[in-house]
Amino acid sequence: MKGFTKAIKRTPHMVTTRVGMSKKSADAEFDDYQRKFAIMEDTVEKLLKDCKKFNEAVINLFTAGQGFAGHFTQIFHPIVGEYDLIGKHPEAGDTIRNVDSYQNVFEELRANISPELELIESRIVMPVKELQTILKQIRKNITKREHKLVDYDRFNNSLTKLRDKKEKSLSDEKNLFKLEQDFEVATNEYEYINNAMKQDLPRFMVLSSQFIDPLYNSFYYMQLNIFYMLMEKLNGFAEGKYDVHVPTTQISQDYEDKRTDAWERIENMGITKRIVSTAKMLQTQRQVSGGSGGSYGASLGRSNTALSASTVSTNSSGRSIPPMGRSVSGSSFVKKAPPPPPSSFGAAAAPPPYTASSGGAAAAAAAATKRAPPPPPPLKPKPRIEAPVQYVVALYDFAAQADGDLEFNTGDRIEVVKRTESSEDWWTGRLNGREGVFPGNYVQDT
């Protein structure tokens, strides 16, 4: 609470200083030290972040390498057992035989690198964090020095204005005496912390350099050890198998030469292309054949005779059933017409023309005498939302003074039919089956 009160008192002076209405003291020597200290704060923060990023990058490097080796092992193992790729492709024998050992190399590397990363965490990251904690404490002292400077300038400006005032009252004399005392206290506090900061900051920066120098050397050698372990393991793996002294351009050229035309052959395989469904293939063949019925049957491998025979069946009495679309003579039964054919069958033969018969007349008479469907039921009306009923309680007895007045006694519960915003008006209500008007100030809401 004390600090908050001081901050409120310093605010007017800080505002007037920013707009140039008040003087602000400056110390060039201390400002130079503060600038260098701010650079050190940023550098230590970046150093800490870079150490963490280096650890994460090394972990990701060996994790990715181990995953790379594991993927090759999973890809080649089942193929080797089933197809004997070494016998078919002797030039790939080294790769197939070495995928297991390559995976083991990266597993060992990851296990050996973990202690080195822990060493970086304990020897580099932790000391830098301790240094950062000290820097934060010094920053608090610098902020405290800035507050003392504001108090010094605030009392100095107020004292100067009061001293320059020509006619002073008794209150001014009292304020002058108090300001002189406050200014003296503020001066002593500011000079003490300012001199201490100017004396200790240069010494701290020299000691910080001596503290950071071994951190740099340690970090360098730890990095070198990690890279050496990686190179030693990979050189040991490649010894007798691969030539590591090959330029990058030759590696690229050897890759293109050894790849041959395998990729083009893979792209031309049927399983790598999009498989067309049977329905789409049949539709394409129908469109190519021009949509004729005979072609449709031929495309499915069926003969026209088989198609026509499948459309004719025999009933239980031994009579053949005529094709769909024709009326059955001597019967009132009428078969529904088949659905219209799709566009691809537009050239199919049309059904035979309709011929009038006694069966057709009977069907027409049956259709004419058929009753019309009943009308739909009427829609149910939506329920009406009624306003809630309001009641009031009588505060006094009210005797009817004219026709239409509603008489009631104290305590009666009256149903409100109509009311206004003001209780000084006449309201309409209902009580015991009687409806009438009554004064609104004789009742209160329930």
Side-chain angles (χ1 to χ4, degrees):
M1 188 65 185
K2 185 178 179 181
F4 178 75
T5 304
K6 288 184 177 181
I8 295 297
K9 292 180 179 179
R10 293 173 185 143
T11 301
H13 175 75
M14 296 175 67
V15 174
T16 54
T17 301
R18 288 197 173 188
V19 298
M21 297 177 61
S22 300
K23 293 189 303 180
K24 181 181 180 182
S25 302
D27 190 333
E29 182 181 0
F30 176 81
D31 292 342
D32 183 56
Y33 292 149
Q34 186 179 7
R35 180 180 57 82
K36 294 178 180 178
F37 179 78
I39 295 174
M40 179 178 290
E41 282 182 311
D42 295 339
T43 304
V44 170
E45 181 69 23
K46 291 179 181 178
L47 176 61
L48 185 61
K49 290 182 179 179
D50 289 340
C51 289
K52 292 181 179 180
K53 288 181 179 179
F54 177 79
N55 280 6
E56 294 174 358
V58 173
I59 293 173
N60 292 336
L61 170 66
F62 291 104
T63 302
Q66 185 179 0
F68 180 76
H71 300 331
F72 267 94
T73 303
Q74 293 177 2
I75 290 174
F76 279 107
H77 264 212
I79 298 179
V80 172
E82 188 174 353
Y83 294 107
D84 188 20
L85 288 183
I86 297 180
K88 293 183 178 180
H89 304 282
E91 67 278 2
D94 289 339
T95 302
I96 299 172
R97 281 188 293 265
N98 294 324
V99 288
D100 289 333
S101 57
Y102 182 74
Q103 184 180 14
N104 295 333
V105 165
F106 267 91
E107 289 178 354
E108 294 175 3
L109 270 174
R110 187 175 182 182
N112 295 335
I113 291 299
S114 296
E116 296 294 329
L117 297 178
E118 294 176 358
L119 195 62
I120 291 177
E121 182 71 24
S122 60
R123 298 289 181 85
I124 307 297
V125 176
M126 295 305 296
V128 171
K129 286 183 177 180
E130 293 176 0
L131 177 61
Q132 194 177 40
T133 303
I134 297 174
L135 291 175
K136 290 180 179 179
Q137 183 60 43
I138 296 175
R139 173 56 63 184
K140 289 182 179 180
N141 292 332
I142 292 176
T143 304
K144 185 175 181 181
R145 183 254 179 198
E146 294 294 330
H147 292 166
K148 298 301 180 183
L149 178 60
V150 172
D151 292 339
Y152 170 80
D153 290 337
R154 179 165 60 91
F155 291 123
N156 187 23
N157 290 337
S158 300
L159 184 60
T160 301
K161 290 180 180 179
L162 194 56
R163 282 176 179 175
D164 293 342
K165 190 174 181 180
K166 295 181 179 180
E167 296 181 359
K168 300 181 181 66
S169 61
L170 180 60
S171 177
D172 292 338
E173 293 294 340
K174 291 180 180 180
N175 291 336
L176 180 62
F177 178 74
K178 186 177 182 303
L179 280 174
E180 287 175 349
Q181 290 181 334
D182 292 340
F183 176 69
E184 184 178 0
V185 173
T187 301
N188 293 334
E189 291 180 352
Y190 167 69
E191 289 181 352
Y192 171 77
I193 192 171
N194 186 57
N195 293 333
M197 296 296 293
K198 287 194 296 184
Q199 183 180 0
D200 291 342
L201 272 179
R203 295 169 55 192
F204 170 75
M205 292 179 183
V206 173
L207 294 174
S208 299
S209 301
Q210 297 175 1
F211 174 78
I212 293 176
D213 183 62
L215 293 182
Y216 167 77
N217 293 331
S218 299
F219 191 50
Y220 170 75
Y221 284 111
M222 290 175 187
Q223 286 179 314
L224 190 63
N225 191 27
I226 291 174
F227 297 147
Y228 175 76
M229 292 173 62
L230 177 62
M231 183 183 68
E232 185 182 20
K233 276 288 184 182
L234 291 180
N235 281 336
F237 168 76
E239 187 175 357
K241 304 181 186 72
Y242 304 101
D243 184 9
V244 297
H245 304 288
V246 179
T248 307
T249 55
Q250 185 176 349
I251 294 174
S252 302
Q253 185 62 38
D254 291 344
Y255 167 75
E256 294 295 337
D257 295 340
K258 292 180 180 180
R259 192 173 68 164
T260 64
D261 61 341
W263 184 250
E264 288 77 7
R265 290 162 62 188
I266 290 174
E267 289 182 335
N268 292 329
M269 294 178 67
I271 60 175
T272 62
K273 298 179 181 179
R274 184 181 178 186
I275 299 176
V276 182
S277 64
T278 307
K280 290 185 177 180
M281 183 174 62
L282 292 176
Q283 184 178 1
T284 304
Q285 293 179 357
R286 295 167 192 164
Q287 293 175 354
V288 172
S289 62
S292 62
S295 299
Y296 170 60
S299 65
L300 293 178
R302 302 174 182 174
S303 62
N304 292 335
T305 306
L307 287 173
S308 60
S310 63
T311 59
V312 181
S313 60
T314 307
N315 59 7
S316 58
S317 61
R319 292 178 300 174
S320 62
I321 300 176
M324 290 188 300
R326 301 180 182 179
S327 60
V328 183
S329 301
S331 175
S332 61
F333 174 80
V334 178
K335 183 80 172 178
K336 290 185 179 180
S343 57
S344 58
F345 297 98
Y354 172 79
T355 56
S357 63
S358 60
T369 58
K370 191 175 182 180
R371 292 186 301 170
L379 296 176
K380 295 182 179 180
K382 294 183 179 180
R384 295 177 58 187
I385 301 176
E386 299 181 356
V389 181
Q390 297 182 353
Y391 290 93
V392 292
V393 177
L395 297 175
Y396 315 101
D397 294 339
F398 176 69
Q401 301 175 1
D403 293 339
D405 291 350
L406 181 64
E407 185 174 350
F408 53 79
N409 298 322
T410 303
D412 287 345
R413 193 165 180 262
I414 306 169
E415 179 185 351
V416 179
V417 178
K418 184 178 180 182
R419 64 186 295 175
T420 61
E421 296 293 334
S422 175
S423 61
E424 301 298 328
D425 292 337
W426 287 86
W427 295 356
T428 304
R430 185 179 295 112
L431 177 63
N432 298 328
R434 296 180 293 107
E435 184 173 332
V437 297
F438 61 91
N441 52 5
Y442 270 56
V443 297
Q444 66 176 4
D445 293 330
T446 57

